[in-house]
Amino acid sequence: MSTNSSTLNFDGRSVELPVKNGTIGPSVVDISKLYGQTGAFTYDPGFTSTASCESKITYIDGDAGVLLYRGYPIEQLAEHGDFLETCYLLLYGELPTAAQKADFDYRVTRHTMVHDQMNRFFQGFRRDAHPMAIMVASVGALSAFYHDSTDISDPQQRMIASMRMIAKMPTLAAMAYKYSVGQPFVYPQNDLDYTSNFLRMCFAVPCEEYKVNPVLSRALDRIFILHADHEQNASTSTVRLAGSSGANPFACIAAGIACLWGPAHGGANEAALKMLEEIGTPDRIPQYIAKAKDKNDPFRLMGFGHRVYKNYDPRARIMQKTTHEVLNELGIKDDPLLDVAVELEQIALKDEYFLEKKLYPNIDFYSGITLKAMGFPTSMFTVLFALARTVGWIAQWSEMIEDPSQRIGRPRQLYIGSPKRDYVTVAQRG
Ligand code: CMC
């Protein structure tokens, strides 16, 4: 990494700030010594100009619509790879050899069951609990079940915790779904691949034989690849910040799940489908486009726009193709929601407002239609996102823990409250 410097003139003084260059992408001005040199902080709400860390995992070029995991384009991984291979790549930095892949798949598979006491934990929830609430709680609760993998200073324990979470997320997610529909939990079946096993745990019932549809399994596996990591987004930054205090990995991932739940982040897939259902028919689209453009209306087109992509989200293109494959496989010829989505996309992509603000469909625009066709209720959409993103969170968390320069994350602020004043007793307050 080469460095040069930039000069900041502040308060009559001139300060040299090192500039660091990455392998690709924008350089960063290193302001870590700025406070010591000037007594001033930087101010960047929403972190639009702030790099919070160095990372070797994921690269996004938002203007060009490029997403790379460890240097590999997302399109190639989604086309040729599988999800567990992507997990290996994100965690270890290289694609596995055949032997490494077989070993990794075996190790993940051997951790799919959850402690049986977790069943009782589930019984404590109302049946209508949102599955994301159950996921926040149950993943956090793993730290109370697996004490032998919570010492973050031990690389072996960190590795076991990582394997456990990648392996148990599908089991917990399927349990959350089964609990909501009042069906018995289905135990994992380890001769199935990761995604087929998940489909079976969600949709099999004890009274019938369940055959995994390979087309749907492959499509869902691809959806998991698309969601596996996305650089320093809100939930990943949450995981890193939680981890910077030394919290155990299960607690950190639970924090990430909580952050992902919001409609501006992972909750957008659920919100996008609800929006398409609310629009209902293509003739109502102009009314919703007008709402989205109205400054006095808080409505936004869900599944549109992205903090980083100012071009078509590369994941959205693959997602759109996957949607068609799934609908074809299921023999769904006319899906009114798909009609609305296609028409809405066409109209928005030609509209001056969306063009000027560089608002393009993101991954969440089509994922809801696909997951709904597969049989998942809307409340499960963000759970599936969390399941897939777990590996990204873990890879980013591990990278941070292994970084010798890592310190607790502690942002500062611009204080705009009252200056110092003296306490007044209740009797004296006017
Ligand atoms: N519909 C209508 N207008 C929009 C939209 C939208 N979906 N998104 C942004 N805008 C407008 C916004 O009103 C603002 O206009 P102005 O400059 O006149 O005030 C401008 O575009 C910039 O928006 P912003 O809120 O400053 O942009 P941001 O980078 O802070 O927000 C976002 C990014 C993704 C939160 C936002 O685009 C959004 O709310 N989109 C809908 C929710 C969504 O689909 N989220 C999923 C993101 S992809 C999956 C993930 O990573 O979790």
Side-chain angles (χ1 to χ4, degrees):
M1 189 185 298
S2 62
T3 57
N4 43 42
S5 74
S6 68
T7 309
L8 173 77
N9 292 316
F10 177 78
D11 220 8
R13 263 173 304 156
S14 160
V15 183
E16 285 295 301
L17 298 169
V19 173
K20 293 183 171 183
N21 303 312
T23 35
I24 36 175
S27 306
V28 300
V29 181
D30 179 353
I31 49 107
S32 56
K33 305 235 172 356
L34 185 72
Y35 178 59
Q37 289 172 327
T38 66
F41 297 137
T42 55
Y43 181 64
D44 182 19
F47 309 116
T48 50
S49 299
T50 297
S52 61
C53 60
E54 287 179 0
S55 182
K56 292 179 178 164
I57 303 174
T58 292
Y59 174 75
I60 302 173
D61 181 338
D63 293 325
V66 168
L67 170 61
L68 312 176
Y69 292 165
R70 300 283 189 182
Y72 294 102
I74 189 66
E75 293 82 0
Q76 294 179 21
L77 293 168
E79 179 75 24
H80 306 295
D82 69 32
F83 179 64
L84 280 190
E85 182 184 65
T86 302
C87 291
Y88 186 100
L89 174 69
L90 289 170
L91 289 173
Y92 301 112
E94 296 297 334
L95 285 167
T97 61
Q100 286 166 334
K101 178 159 174 24
D103 175 61
F104 183 74
D105 288 5
Y106 177 84
R107 284 190 291 145
V108 170
T109 305
R110 259 61 210 168
H111 281 295
T112 49
M113 269 193 1
V114 292
H115 193 292
D116 216 44
Q117 196 87 354
M118 284 294 284
N119 291 359
R120 298 233 218 122
F121 190 84
F122 273 77
Q123 311 300 327
F125 286 99
R126 285 169 55 130
R127 291 278 177 188
D128 62 356
H130 195 288
M132 280 299 276
I134 299 184
M135 293 308 286
V136 173
S138 59
V139 173
L142 291 178
S143 46
F145 286 88
Y146 300 101
H147 297 134
D148 59 345
S149 53
T150 52
D151 177 358
I152 63 157
S153 63
D154 178 350
Q156 177 70 7
Q157 291 203 26
R158 291 204 301 270
M159 192 274 289
I160 294 175
S162 306
M163 289 296 148
R164 282 185 166 143
M165 276 186 282
I166 294 167
K168 292 182 203 307
M169 280 297 280
T171 314
L172 293 174
M175 286 169 85
Y177 169 63
K178 285 299 199 192
Y179 189 71
S180 72
V181 289
Q183 291 180 3
F185 298 139
V186 174
Y187 283 98
Q189 188 174 308
N190 287 348
D191 59 354
L192 291 175
D193 65 76
Y194 187 87
T195 304
S196 301
N197 189 25
F198 175 62
L199 281 170
R200 185 178 165 278
M201 286 191 288
C202 286
F203 298 121
V205 285
C207 43
E208 271 174 30
E209 196 58 37
Y210 179 80
K211 278 216 163 27
V212 179
N213 179 324
V215 176
L216 300 191
S217 174
R218 175 70 190 125
L220 187 58
D221 199 74
R222 194 177 298 133
I223 293 173
F224 289 163
I225 295 173
L226 298 182
H227 286 89
D229 194 45
H230 214 225
E231 208 226 54
Q232 308 309 322
N233 57 82
S235 58
T236 301
S237 297
T238 301
V239 170
R240 278 189 180 252
L241 199 54
S244 76
S245 74
N248 78 69
F250 303 106
C252 296
I253 302 303
I257 297 172
C259 178
L260 186 75
W261 195 355
H265 192 5
N269 51 16
E270 187 176 344
L273 193 86
K274 283 187 179 149
M275 177 193 75
L276 293 175
E277 283 171 345
E278 192 186 312
I279 298 175
T281 46
D283 59 300
R284 281 162 54 83
I285 291 173
Q287 164 187 344
Y288 281 83
I289 295 267
K291 266 165 79 65
K293 289 157 65 170
D294 182 355
K295 279 238 167 280
N296 300 317
D297 190 326
F299 175 79
R300 285 185 169 199
L301 276 194
M302 299 314 286
F304 259 79
H306 197 275
R307 169 61 62 80
V308 181
Y309 293 120
K310 301 302 169 198
N311 198 326
Y312 215 100
D313 177 344
R315 303 167 303 169
R317 284 191 204 287
I318 307 167
M319 196 66 240
Q320 191 190 39
K321 197 170 147 231
T322 305
T323 304
H324 287 290
E325 278 168 22
V326 167
L327 296 185
N328 273 348
E329 175 64 18
L330 294 172
I332 303 172
K333 298 258 178 308
D334 298 307
D335 181 352
L337 291 183
L338 185 63
D339 293 346
V340 175
V342 170
E343 183 83 15
L344 180 62
E345 183 185 347
Q346 292 310 318
I347 294 177
L349 288 178
K350 286 190 206 114
D351 191 291
E352 201 46 48
Y353 173 93
F354 291 89
L355 287 174
E356 190 200 307
K357 294 188 190 302
K358 300 190 173 162
L359 299 170
Y360 293 87
N362 60 51
I363 187 169
D364 291 323
F365 191 62
Y366 282 102
S367 62
I369 299 174
T370 323
L371 298 174
K372 179 173 179 271
M374 286 181 175
F376 291 104
T378 44
S379 60
M380 279 296 287
F381 294 175
T382 316
V383 173
L384 299 184
F385 191 157
L387 185 168
R389 182 57 57 85
T390 295
V391 66
W393 290 329
I394 292 171
Q396 301 270 353
W397 171 81
S398 304
E399 185 177 64
M400 183 193 69
I401 299 287
E402 285 161 21
D403 179 353
S405 66
Q406 185 264 321
R407 302 166 74 191
I408 187 167
R410 176 55 168 94
R412 302 305 300 265
Q413 63 174 8
L414 177 66
Y415 178 68
I416 54 166
S418 167
K420 182 173 178 287
R421 51 185 166 165
D422 290 324
Y423 181 81
V424 181
T425 62
V426 170
Q428 290 172 309
R429 283 174 219 159

